[in-house]
Amino acid sequence: MFLPTEVLDKMRVVIADANQVVRTWVRTQLSQAGVKHVAMAGTSADLLRQCSAVTPDVVLCDYNFGEKQDGLRVLEELRLNDILPLSSVFMIVTGERVRKRVVSAAEFAPDDYLLKPFTSGQLGERLVKAVEKKHALKSIYEQMAARNLEGVLVECDRVLSSVPRYSMDALRIRAEALIALTRLDEAAEIYKAVMARNTVPWARIGYAMVLRERGETSEAVRHAAEINQEFPEFMGVYDFLGELHEKAGELDQARSYYERADSIAPDNLRRLRNIGEICLEAGDAEEAAKVMRRVLERTEGTSLASAEDHLTLIKSLIELPDAGSELNQRLNEMKPLLQGSASATVLADALEARVKAQQGDENGARAAIERALKAHSELQKQDALATTELADACFRTNNDEAATGLVEQLEASGTAPNRLKRQNARSARERAQAAAAQLEAETGSGPDLDHIEAELSRLADVIKRLDPKWNDALAEEARNILIDVFTLAPRERRVIDAHIHYNRVAQKHGYDRHKPTARSSGED
Protein backbone atom coordinates (compact mmCIF):
# COMPACT_ATOMS: atom_id res chain seq x y z
CA MET A 1 0.00 0.00 0.00
CA PHE A 2 1.35 3.43 -0.96
CA LEU A 3 1.29 5.99 1.82
CA PRO A 4 2.14 9.72 1.43
CA THR A 5 5.34 9.71 3.47
CA GLU A 6 5.54 13.52 3.57
CA VAL A 7 2.42 13.51 5.76
CA LEU A 8 3.75 10.82 8.07
CA ASP A 9 7.27 12.28 8.28
CA LYS A 10 6.06 15.52 9.86
CA MET A 11 3.41 13.99 12.10
CA ARG A 12 3.81 14.38 15.87
CA VAL A 13 2.08 11.51 17.69
CA VAL A 14 1.57 10.84 21.40
CA ILE A 15 0.81 7.26 22.49
CA ALA A 16 -1.26 7.21 25.70
CA ASP A 17 -1.44 3.81 27.36
CA ALA A 18 -0.89 2.62 30.93
CA ASN A 19 0.87 -0.53 29.70
CA GLN A 20 4.51 0.01 28.72
CA VAL A 21 4.58 -3.14 26.59
CA VAL A 22 1.60 -1.91 24.58
CA ARG A 23 3.12 1.55 24.19
CA THR A 24 6.28 0.01 22.78
CA TRP A 25 4.28 -2.21 20.40
CA VAL A 26 2.24 0.75 19.09
CA ARG A 27 5.42 2.76 18.66
CA THR A 28 6.86 -0.04 16.54
CA GLN A 29 3.73 -0.03 14.39
CA LEU A 30 4.03 3.74 13.94
CA SER A 31 7.69 3.45 13.00
CA GLN A 32 6.90 0.81 10.40
CA ALA A 33 4.18 3.07 9.02
CA GLY A 34 6.73 5.87 8.60
CA VAL A 35 5.99 8.06 11.66
CA LYS A 36 9.20 9.47 13.17
CA HIS A 37 8.14 11.89 15.92
CA VAL A 38 6.58 9.85 18.72
CA ALA A 39 6.15 10.55 22.44
CA MET A 40 4.60 8.32 25.07
CA ALA A 41 2.41 8.94 28.14
CA GLY A 42 1.65 6.38 30.82
CA THR A 43 -0.90 8.44 32.79
CA SER A 44 -3.60 10.96 32.02
CA ALA A 45 -1.66 13.64 33.92
CA ASP A 46 1.38 12.95 31.76
CA LEU A 47 -0.72 13.16 28.60
CA LEU A 48 -2.29 16.48 29.65
CA ARG A 49 1.16 17.87 30.46
CA GLN A 50 2.62 16.82 27.10
CA CYS A 51 -0.32 18.17 25.11
CA SER A 52 -0.13 21.47 27.02
CA ALA A 53 3.61 21.83 26.28
CA VAL A 54 3.55 20.93 22.56
CA THR A 55 0.33 20.44 20.61
CA PRO A 56 0.49 17.04 18.90
CA ASP A 57 -0.99 16.25 15.51
CA VAL A 58 -2.35 12.96 16.81
CA VAL A 59 -3.12 11.35 20.16
CA LEU A 60 -3.49 7.56 20.16
CA CYS A 61 -5.19 6.84 23.48
CA ASP A 62 -6.11 3.44 24.87
CA TYR A 63 -9.72 3.13 25.99
CA ASN A 64 -8.78 1.56 29.33
CA PHE A 65 -6.24 4.10 30.51
CA GLY A 66 -5.29 2.70 33.92
CA GLU A 67 -7.23 2.56 37.18
CA LYS A 68 -10.32 4.82 37.18
CA GLN A 69 -9.22 6.23 33.83
CA ASP A 70 -10.49 5.83 30.31
CA GLY A 71 -9.79 7.49 27.01
CA LEU A 72 -13.18 9.15 26.79
CA ARG A 73 -12.75 10.96 30.09
CA VAL A 74 -9.30 12.12 29.00
CA LEU A 75 -10.78 13.38 25.72
CA GLU A 76 -13.42 15.36 27.63
CA GLU A 77 -10.75 16.91 29.80
CA LEU A 78 -8.54 17.83 26.84
CA ARG A 79 -11.38 19.41 24.89
CA LEU A 80 -13.16 21.19 27.72
CA ASN A 81 -9.93 22.77 28.94
CA ASP A 82 -8.88 23.78 25.41
CA ILE A 83 -5.67 21.75 25.72
CA LEU A 84 -6.14 19.81 22.49
CA PRO A 85 -7.58 21.85 19.59
CA LEU A 86 -10.11 20.41 17.17
CA SER A 87 -7.41 20.54 14.51
CA SER A 88 -5.58 17.68 16.30
CA VAL A 89 -6.63 14.07 15.86
CA PHE A 90 -7.75 12.06 18.90
CA MET A 91 -8.02 8.37 18.17
CA ILE A 92 -9.25 5.72 20.62
CA VAL A 93 -7.29 2.47 20.53
CA THR A 94 -9.21 -0.38 22.12
CA GLY A 95 -9.77 -4.10 22.29
CA GLU A 96 -13.38 -3.43 23.35
CA ARG A 97 -16.02 -4.86 21.08
CA VAL A 98 -18.93 -4.43 23.48
CA ARG A 99 -21.59 -2.36 21.73
CA LYS A 100 -22.04 0.15 24.59
CA ARG A 101 -18.33 0.91 24.60
CA VAL A 102 -18.24 1.51 20.87
CA VAL A 103 -21.36 3.72 20.97
CA SER A 104 -19.91 5.69 23.88
CA ALA A 105 -16.68 6.24 22.00
CA ALA A 106 -18.55 7.47 18.95
CA GLU A 107 -20.69 9.80 21.08
CA PHE A 108 -17.72 11.62 22.54
CA ALA A 109 -16.54 12.34 19.01
CA PRO A 110 -13.03 10.98 18.83
CA ASP A 111 -11.87 11.29 15.25
CA ASP A 112 -11.58 7.53 14.89
CA TYR A 113 -11.17 4.35 16.88
CA LEU A 114 -8.98 1.35 16.16
CA LEU A 115 -9.74 -2.17 17.34
CA LYS A 116 -6.67 -4.10 18.46
CA PRO A 117 -4.79 -5.88 17.04
CA PHE A 118 -4.01 -3.89 13.89
CA THR A 119 -1.18 -3.81 11.37
CA SER A 120 1.17 -0.92 10.65
CA GLY A 121 -0.48 -0.54 7.27
CA GLN A 122 -3.95 -0.24 8.80
CA LEU A 123 -2.68 2.24 11.37
CA GLY A 124 -0.86 4.35 8.79
CA GLU A 125 -3.87 4.45 6.49
CA ARG A 126 -6.21 5.60 9.26
CA LEU A 127 -3.75 8.22 10.47
CA VAL A 128 -3.26 9.75 7.04
CA LYS A 129 -7.02 9.85 6.43
CA ALA A 130 -7.69 11.55 9.78
CA VAL A 131 -4.83 14.04 9.50
CA GLU A 132 -5.71 15.05 5.93
CA LYS A 133 -9.28 15.80 7.00
CA LYS A 134 -8.05 17.90 9.93
CA HIS A 135 -5.72 19.73 7.55
CA ALA A 136 -8.55 20.56 5.18
CA LEU A 137 -10.79 21.87 7.98
CA LYS A 138 -8.07 23.52 10.06
CA SER A 139 -8.98 27.10 9.13
CA ILE A 140 -12.61 26.44 10.17
CA TYR A 141 -11.48 25.07 13.53
CA GLU A 142 -9.29 28.13 14.09
CA GLN A 143 -12.25 30.47 13.55
CA MET A 144 -14.38 28.32 15.86
CA ALA A 145 -11.71 28.52 18.56
CA ALA A 146 -11.64 32.31 18.16
CA ARG A 147 -15.48 32.33 18.39
CA ASN A 148 -15.61 34.25 15.10
CA LEU A 149 -18.86 32.98 13.62
CA GLU A 150 -18.67 35.13 10.50
CA GLY A 151 -15.15 33.82 9.96
CA VAL A 152 -16.47 30.28 10.33
CA LEU A 153 -18.93 30.92 7.49
CA VAL A 154 -16.19 32.29 5.24
CA GLU A 155 -13.91 29.30 5.85
CA CYS A 156 -16.76 26.83 5.37
CA ASP A 157 -17.48 28.38 1.99
CA ARG A 158 -13.78 28.06 1.08
CA VAL A 159 -13.78 24.35 1.95
CA LEU A 160 -17.01 23.79 0.02
CA SER A 161 -15.48 25.28 -3.11
CA SER A 162 -11.94 23.88 -2.83
CA VAL A 163 -12.21 20.52 -1.01
CA PRO A 164 -15.61 19.08 -1.97
CA ARG A 165 -14.99 15.67 -0.39
CA TYR A 166 -15.36 17.35 3.03
CA SER A 167 -18.48 19.24 2.03
CA MET A 168 -20.74 17.44 4.52
CA ASP A 169 -18.50 18.46 7.43
CA ALA A 170 -18.39 22.06 6.19
CA LEU A 171 -22.16 22.19 5.69
CA ARG A 172 -22.84 20.85 9.19
CA ILE A 173 -20.54 23.41 10.81
CA ARG A 174 -21.89 26.21 8.60
CA ALA A 175 -25.49 25.46 9.57
CA GLU A 176 -24.65 25.39 13.28
CA ALA A 177 -22.91 28.77 12.97
CA LEU A 178 -25.97 30.21 11.20
CA ILE A 179 -28.21 29.03 14.06
CA ALA A 180 -25.87 30.72 16.55
CA LEU A 181 -26.18 33.91 14.47
CA THR A 182 -30.01 33.47 14.47
CA ARG A 183 -30.01 33.25 10.68
CA LEU A 184 -32.50 30.44 10.93
CA ASP A 185 -33.90 30.45 7.40
CA GLU A 186 -30.42 30.01 5.91
CA ALA A 187 -29.65 27.16 8.33
CA ALA A 188 -32.96 25.50 7.45
CA GLU A 189 -32.13 25.62 3.76
CA ILE A 190 -28.86 23.77 4.36
CA TYR A 191 -30.57 21.06 6.40
CA LYS A 192 -33.36 20.66 3.83
CA ALA A 193 -30.85 20.37 0.99
CA VAL A 194 -28.86 17.70 2.83
CA MET A 195 -32.00 15.78 3.82
CA ALA A 196 -33.16 15.79 0.18
CA ARG A 197 -29.99 13.90 -0.83
CA ASN A 198 -29.18 11.94 2.33
CA THR A 199 -30.89 10.57 5.42
CA VAL A 200 -28.07 11.50 7.82
CA PRO A 201 -29.59 12.10 11.27
CA TRP A 202 -27.44 15.16 12.03
CA ALA A 203 -29.23 17.15 9.32
CA ARG A 204 -32.64 16.13 10.62
CA ILE A 205 -31.85 16.99 14.24
CA GLY A 206 -30.36 20.25 12.97
CA TYR A 207 -33.68 21.08 11.34
CA ALA A 208 -35.43 20.25 14.61
CA MET A 209 -33.08 22.74 16.31
CA VAL A 210 -34.23 25.39 13.83
CA LEU A 211 -37.86 24.61 14.70
CA ARG A 212 -37.05 24.96 18.41
CA GLU A 213 -35.35 28.32 17.88
CA ARG A 214 -38.38 29.53 15.92
CA GLY A 215 -40.57 28.69 18.91
CA GLU A 216 -42.25 25.75 17.15
CA THR A 217 -41.60 23.47 20.11
CA SER A 218 -44.33 20.88 19.52
CA GLU A 219 -43.23 20.46 15.91
CA ALA A 220 -39.60 20.17 17.02
CA VAL A 221 -40.60 17.41 19.48
CA ARG A 222 -42.58 15.56 16.81
CA HIS A 223 -39.72 15.79 14.31
CA ALA A 224 -37.13 14.65 16.85
CA ALA A 225 -39.31 11.75 18.03
CA GLU A 226 -39.47 10.48 14.45
CA ILE A 227 -35.67 10.60 14.23
CA ASN A 228 -35.45 8.69 17.49
CA GLN A 229 -37.67 5.94 16.07
CA GLU A 230 -35.62 5.63 12.89
CA PHE A 231 -32.15 6.05 14.43
CA PRO A 232 -32.37 4.71 18.00
CA GLU A 233 -28.58 4.77 18.47
CA PHE A 234 -28.16 8.41 17.41
CA MET A 235 -27.48 9.85 20.86
CA GLY A 236 -27.96 13.53 20.09
CA VAL A 237 -31.72 13.17 19.64
CA TYR A 238 -32.18 11.75 23.17
CA ASP A 239 -30.53 14.79 24.70
CA PHE A 240 -32.45 17.14 22.42
CA LEU A 241 -35.78 15.63 23.44
CA GLY A 242 -34.73 15.48 27.09
CA GLU A 243 -33.88 19.17 27.08
CA LEU A 244 -37.16 20.14 25.38
CA HIS A 245 -39.27 18.19 27.88
CA GLU A 246 -37.21 19.38 30.85
CA LYS A 247 -37.60 23.01 29.81
CA ALA A 248 -41.36 22.48 29.56
CA GLY A 249 -41.39 21.06 33.09
CA GLU A 250 -42.25 17.57 31.83
CA LEU A 251 -39.73 15.89 34.09
CA ASP A 252 -40.90 12.29 33.70
CA GLN A 253 -40.55 12.45 29.91
CA ALA A 254 -37.19 14.22 30.14
CA ARG A 255 -35.86 11.66 32.58
CA SER A 256 -37.07 8.81 30.37
CA TYR A 257 -35.11 10.08 27.35
CA TYR A 258 -31.96 10.75 29.37
CA GLU A 259 -32.10 7.34 31.04
CA ARG A 260 -32.68 5.54 27.73
CA ALA A 261 -29.61 7.26 26.34
CA ASP A 262 -27.63 6.37 29.46
CA SER A 263 -28.54 2.71 29.00
CA ILE A 264 -27.01 2.81 25.51
CA ALA A 265 -23.97 5.01 26.21
CA PRO A 266 -23.33 5.32 29.96
CA ASP A 267 -20.36 7.70 29.94
CA ASN A 268 -21.85 11.13 29.28
CA LEU A 269 -21.27 13.50 32.22
CA ARG A 270 -23.67 16.17 31.07
CA ARG A 271 -26.47 13.64 30.73
CA LEU A 272 -25.77 12.12 34.14
CA ARG A 273 -25.88 15.57 35.71
CA ASN A 274 -29.24 16.24 34.06
CA ILE A 275 -30.64 12.95 35.39
CA GLY A 276 -29.37 13.72 38.90
CA GLU A 277 -30.92 17.20 38.93
CA ILE A 278 -34.25 15.95 37.59
CA CYS A 279 -34.43 13.09 40.11
CA LEU A 280 -33.72 15.49 42.97
CA GLU A 281 -36.34 17.99 41.80
CA ALA A 282 -38.90 15.20 41.40
CA GLY A 283 -38.28 14.01 44.96
CA ASP A 284 -36.39 10.82 44.07
CA ALA A 285 -33.39 11.58 46.27
CA GLU A 286 -32.20 7.98 46.36
CA GLU A 287 -31.83 7.73 42.58
CA ALA A 288 -30.34 11.24 42.44
CA ALA A 289 -27.66 10.15 44.90
CA LYS A 290 -26.86 7.02 42.87
CA VAL A 291 -26.43 9.02 39.68
CA MET A 292 -24.33 11.74 41.26
CA ARG A 293 -22.02 9.16 42.83
CA ARG A 294 -21.32 8.00 39.27
CA VAL A 295 -20.51 11.57 38.27
CA LEU A 296 -18.10 12.06 41.16
CA GLU A 297 -16.42 8.73 40.50
CA ARG A 298 -15.92 9.65 36.86
CA THR A 299 -14.53 13.13 37.57
CA GLU A 300 -12.42 12.23 40.60
CA GLY A 301 -8.85 13.47 40.28
CA THR A 302 -9.53 15.42 37.06
CA SER A 303 -10.14 19.05 36.18
CA LEU A 304 -13.75 18.02 35.41
CA ALA A 305 -14.49 17.78 39.15
CA SER A 306 -16.82 20.55 40.32
CA ALA A 307 -18.32 21.80 43.55
CA GLU A 308 -21.73 21.85 41.85
CA ASP A 309 -21.67 18.05 41.40
CA HIS A 310 -20.83 17.61 45.08
CA LEU A 311 -23.66 19.97 46.03
CA THR A 312 -26.22 17.98 44.05
CA LEU A 313 -25.13 14.76 45.77
CA ILE A 314 -25.09 16.43 49.20
CA LYS A 315 -28.61 17.81 48.69
CA SER A 316 -29.74 14.29 47.77
CA LEU A 317 -28.13 12.80 50.87
CA ILE A 318 -29.80 15.40 53.11
CA GLU A 319 -33.16 13.98 51.99
CA LEU A 320 -32.19 10.39 52.77
CA PRO A 321 -32.42 8.66 56.16
CA ASP A 322 -29.25 7.18 57.67
CA ALA A 323 -26.96 9.03 55.25
CA GLY A 324 -25.18 11.10 57.90
CA SER A 325 -21.81 9.36 57.56
CA GLU A 326 -21.64 9.77 53.78
CA LEU A 327 -23.00 13.31 54.06
CA ASN A 328 -20.07 14.34 56.28
CA GLN A 329 -17.64 12.57 53.94
CA ARG A 330 -18.98 14.39 50.89
CA LEU A 331 -18.94 17.75 52.67
CA ASN A 332 -15.24 17.24 53.47
CA GLU A 333 -14.52 16.20 49.88
CA MET A 334 -16.15 19.38 48.58
CA LYS A 335 -14.15 21.77 50.78
CA PRO A 336 -10.95 21.73 48.66
CA LEU A 337 -12.99 22.72 45.60
CA LEU A 338 -14.19 25.86 47.44
CA GLN A 339 -10.84 26.99 48.84
CA GLY A 340 -10.38 30.69 48.28
CA SER A 341 -13.97 31.08 47.12
CA ALA A 342 -15.86 34.07 48.50
CA SER A 343 -19.08 32.07 48.15
CA ALA A 344 -17.99 29.25 50.48
CA THR A 345 -19.77 30.78 53.49
CA VAL A 346 -23.00 31.27 51.52
CA LEU A 347 -22.97 27.67 50.35
CA ALA A 348 -22.16 26.30 53.81
CA ASP A 349 -25.03 28.21 55.45
CA ALA A 350 -27.46 27.32 52.66
CA LEU A 351 -26.65 23.63 53.12
CA GLU A 352 -26.99 23.95 56.91
CA ALA A 353 -30.44 25.46 56.41
CA ARG A 354 -31.49 22.44 54.35
CA VAL A 355 -30.13 20.04 56.98
CA LYS A 356 -31.92 21.88 59.81
CA ALA A 357 -35.17 21.98 57.86
CA GLN A 358 -34.94 18.25 57.14
CA GLN A 359 -34.41 17.63 60.86
CA GLY A 360 -37.50 19.68 61.69
CA ASP A 361 -35.49 22.51 63.28
CA GLU A 362 -37.35 25.41 61.66
CA ASN A 363 -35.71 28.04 63.88
CA GLY A 364 -32.25 26.71 63.07
CA ALA A 365 -33.11 26.66 59.36
CA ARG A 366 -34.30 30.27 59.42
CA ALA A 367 -31.18 31.39 61.29
CA ALA A 368 -28.91 29.66 58.73
CA ILE A 369 -30.80 31.26 55.85
CA GLU A 370 -30.47 34.70 57.42
CA ARG A 371 -26.70 34.19 57.73
CA ALA A 372 -26.49 33.01 54.15
CA LEU A 373 -28.50 35.98 52.87
CA LYS A 374 -26.25 38.39 54.77
CA ALA A 375 -23.07 36.73 53.43
CA HIS A 376 -24.54 36.77 49.91
CA SER A 377 -25.30 40.48 50.14
CA GLU A 378 -21.64 41.11 50.99
CA LEU A 379 -20.26 39.34 47.91
CA GLN A 380 -18.38 41.80 45.72
CA LYS A 381 -19.71 40.24 42.54
CA GLN A 382 -22.56 37.89 41.80
CA ASP A 383 -21.68 34.22 42.02
CA ALA A 384 -24.17 32.18 39.99
CA LEU A 385 -23.59 28.95 41.93
CA ALA A 386 -23.97 30.62 45.35
CA THR A 387 -27.07 32.53 44.24
CA THR A 388 -28.65 29.40 42.77
CA GLU A 389 -28.03 27.27 45.84
CA LEU A 390 -29.22 30.00 48.20
CA ALA A 391 -32.42 30.51 46.20
CA ASP A 392 -33.02 26.75 46.28
CA ALA A 393 -32.48 26.67 50.06
CA CYS A 394 -34.84 29.63 50.54
CA PHE A 395 -37.59 27.80 48.67
CA ARG A 396 -36.93 24.70 50.78
CA THR A 397 -37.30 26.67 54.01
CA ASN A 398 -40.42 28.56 52.90
CA ASN A 399 -38.61 31.89 52.47
CA ASP A 400 -40.23 32.44 49.09
CA GLU A 401 -39.88 36.21 49.02
CA ALA A 402 -36.09 36.07 49.35
CA ALA A 403 -35.95 33.18 46.87
CA THR A 404 -37.89 35.15 44.28
CA GLY A 405 -35.49 38.07 44.57
CA LEU A 406 -32.51 35.76 44.05
CA VAL A 407 -34.13 34.12 41.03
CA GLU A 408 -34.73 37.56 39.53
CA GLN A 409 -31.00 38.30 39.92
CA LEU A 410 -30.16 35.08 38.07
CA GLU A 411 -32.69 35.79 35.33
CA ALA A 412 -31.23 39.25 34.81
CA SER A 413 -27.81 37.69 34.15
CA GLY A 414 -29.24 34.85 32.07
CA THR A 415 -28.03 32.16 34.50
CA ALA A 416 -31.29 31.04 36.13
CA PRO A 417 -31.69 27.23 35.93
CA ASN A 418 -35.01 26.00 34.59
CA ARG A 419 -35.74 24.19 37.85
CA LEU A 420 -35.60 27.48 39.79
CA LYS A 421 -37.83 29.19 37.23
CA ARG A 422 -40.37 26.42 37.70
CA GLN A 423 -40.13 26.63 41.49
CA ASN A 424 -40.57 30.39 41.34
CA ALA A 425 -43.69 30.03 39.19
CA ARG A 426 -45.14 27.42 41.58
CA SER A 427 -44.39 29.68 44.54
CA ALA A 428 -46.16 32.62 42.90
CA ARG A 429 -49.25 30.49 42.24
CA GLU A 430 -49.28 29.18 45.80
CA ARG A 431 -48.99 32.70 47.24
CA ALA A 432 -51.89 33.87 45.09
CA GLN A 433 -54.02 30.92 46.17
CA ALA A 434 -53.11 31.47 49.80
CA ALA A 435 -54.01 35.16 49.58
CA ALA A 436 -57.40 34.31 48.08
CA ALA A 437 -58.05 31.69 50.75
CA GLN A 438 -56.96 34.12 53.44
CA LEU A 439 -59.37 36.76 52.21
CA GLU A 440 -62.20 34.25 52.20
CA ALA A 441 -61.33 32.98 55.66
CA GLU A 442 -61.11 36.49 57.14
CA THR A 443 -64.70 37.23 56.16
CA GLY A 444 -65.92 34.61 58.64
CA SER A 445 -65.73 34.41 62.40
CA GLY A 446 -62.44 34.08 64.29
CA PRO A 447 -60.79 30.65 64.43
CA ASP A 448 -61.36 28.14 67.22
CA LEU A 449 -57.80 28.02 68.61
CA ASP A 450 -58.43 25.01 70.81
CA HIS A 451 -59.75 23.04 67.85
CA ILE A 452 -56.76 24.09 65.71
CA GLU A 453 -54.35 23.05 68.45
CA ALA A 454 -55.98 19.63 68.67
CA GLU A 455 -55.95 19.18 64.88
CA LEU A 456 -52.28 20.17 64.63
CA SER A 457 -51.42 17.66 67.34
CA ARG A 458 -53.31 14.96 65.45
CA LEU A 459 -51.55 15.98 62.24
CA ALA A 460 -48.13 15.72 63.86
CA ASP A 461 -48.91 12.16 64.91
CA VAL A 462 -50.08 11.24 61.39
CA ILE A 463 -46.94 12.68 59.78
CA LYS A 464 -44.76 10.90 62.33
CA ARG A 465 -46.29 7.60 61.26
CA LEU A 466 -46.00 8.57 57.59
CA ASP A 467 -42.33 9.55 57.72
CA PRO A 468 -40.62 6.11 57.91
CA LYS A 469 -43.01 4.44 55.43
CA TRP A 470 -45.43 6.15 53.05
CA ASN A 471 -49.09 5.20 53.26
CA ASP A 472 -51.65 6.68 50.86
CA ALA A 473 -54.49 6.57 53.39
CA LEU A 474 -52.42 8.35 56.05
CA ALA A 475 -51.28 10.90 53.47
CA GLU A 476 -54.88 11.62 52.52
CA GLU A 477 -55.76 12.06 56.20
CA ALA A 478 -52.85 14.47 56.65
CA ARG A 479 -53.89 16.55 53.62
CA ASN A 480 -57.46 16.80 54.87
CA ILE A 481 -56.26 18.06 58.25
CA LEU A 482 -54.02 20.59 56.49
CA ILE A 483 -56.95 21.88 54.46
CA ASP A 484 -59.10 22.16 57.59
CA VAL A 485 -56.56 24.09 59.67
CA PHE A 486 -55.61 26.35 56.75
CA THR A 487 -59.27 27.17 56.19
CA LEU A 488 -59.57 28.18 59.86
CA ALA A 489 -56.24 29.99 60.33
CA PRO A 490 -54.30 30.60 57.10
CA ARG A 491 -51.91 33.10 58.70
CA GLU A 492 -51.07 31.02 61.76
CA ARG A 493 -47.34 30.24 61.81
CA ARG A 494 -47.91 26.74 63.16
CA VAL A 495 -50.19 25.98 60.20
CA ILE A 496 -47.51 27.13 57.76
CA ASP A 497 -44.89 25.03 59.56
CA ALA A 498 -47.23 22.02 59.38
CA HIS A 499 -47.39 22.40 55.57
CA ILE A 500 -43.59 22.54 55.42
CA HIS A 501 -43.31 19.41 57.58
CA TYR A 502 -45.74 17.42 55.44
CA ASN A 503 -44.16 18.56 52.15
CA ARG A 504 -40.71 17.53 53.34
CA VAL A 505 -41.93 14.01 54.10
CA ALA A 506 -43.87 13.81 50.81
CA GLN A 507 -40.86 14.85 48.73
CA LYS A 508 -38.66 12.44 50.65
CA HIS A 509 -40.86 9.58 49.38
CA GLY A 510 -41.18 11.03 45.86
CA TYR A 511 -44.67 12.55 46.16
CA ASP A 512 -45.96 16.03 45.28
CA ARG A 513 -46.02 18.96 47.67
CA HIS A 514 -49.38 19.95 49.11
CA LYS A 515 -50.38 23.49 48.24
CA PRO A 516 -51.99 25.59 51.01
CA THR A 517 -55.68 25.25 50.16
CA ALA A 518 -58.85 26.39 51.89
CA ARG A 519 -62.00 24.28 51.95
CA SER A 520 -64.93 25.89 50.18
CA SER A 521 -68.15 26.43 52.08
CA GLY A 522 -69.88 23.68 50.12
CA GLU A 523 -67.42 20.98 51.20
CA ASP A 524 -67.94 18.73 54.22
Side-chain angles (χ1 to χ4, degrees), residues 98 129 243 287 342-343 350 444 519:
V98 178
K129 183 179 179 181
E243 290 166 8
E287 187 62 27
S343 64
R519 198 177 297 282

Side-chain angles (χ1 to χ4, degrees), residues 139-296:
S139 60
I140 298 177
Y141 294 140
E142 289 173 345
Q143 295 301 320
M144 290 170 66
R147 294 176 173 78
N148 180 3
L149 295 177
E150 294 292 350
V152 169
L153 298 181
V154 170
E155 293 304 323
C156 284
D157 289 339
R158 183 191 60 76
V159 170
L160 287 168
S161 62
S162 62
V163 199
R165 72 174 178 272
Y166 299 120
S167 61
M168 294 295 274
D169 298 279
L171 285 170
R172 178 179 56 80
I173 297 171
R174 193 179 201 284
E176 290 172 359
L178 287 168
I179 290 177
L181 290 166
T182 65
R183 291 161 59 175
L184 302 180
D185 290 343
E186 294 174 72
E189 288 304 313
I190 291 176
Y191 292 129
K192 287 178 180 177
V194 173
M195 288 188 292
R197 304 193 309 268
N198 201 312
T199 59
V200 289
W202 67 257
R204 294 179 62 182
I205 196 64
Y207 185 68
M209 290 169 61
V210 170
L211 294 173
R212 178 193 64 191
E213 296 302 311
R214 285 174 172 169
E216 301 175 39
T217 305
S218 59
E219 186 63 17
V221 170
R222 185 193 66 78
H223 192 74
E226 289 178 358
I227 303 168
N228 185 232
Q229 288 292 321
E230 294 179 45
F231 302 94
E233 290 192 358
F234 178 57
M235 305 310 299
V237 73
Y238 290 95
D239 293 322
F240 181 80
L241 284 164
E243 290 166 8
L244 284 177
H245 285 296
E246 189 272 336
K247 190 172 183 179
E250 299 162 351
L251 301 187
D252 288 343
Q253 294 95 319
R255 178 176 172 179
S256 174
Y257 278 111
Y258 287 136
E259 289 182 340
R260 284 167 58 192
D262 185 57
S263 70
I264 299 170
D267 292 313
N268 187 298
L269 281 176
R270 180 183 177 192
R271 185 181 304 125
L272 288 174
R273 287 165 174 150
N274 286 339
I275 295 172
E277 290 281 359
I278 286 173
C279 287
L280 183 58
E281 183 178 352
D284 190 351
E286 185 174 355
E287 187 62 27
K290 288 180 182 178
V291 172
M292 295 313 299
R293 289 186 192 109
R294 289 174 58 191
V295 172
L296 294 190

Side-chain angles (χ1 to χ4, degrees), residues 57-69:
D57 298 299
V58 178
V59 174
L60 293 174
C61 186
D62 190 64
Y63 182 87
N64 295 306
F65 197 13
E67 186 180 0
K68 292 188 177 181
Q69 296 284 352

Side-chain angles (χ1 to χ4, degrees), residues 106-122:
E107 184 179 18
F108 277 92
D111 297 287
D112 203 351
Y113 63 90
L114 277 171
L115 289 176
K116 294 183 287 189
F118 47 80
T119 67
S120 59
Q122 291 170 330

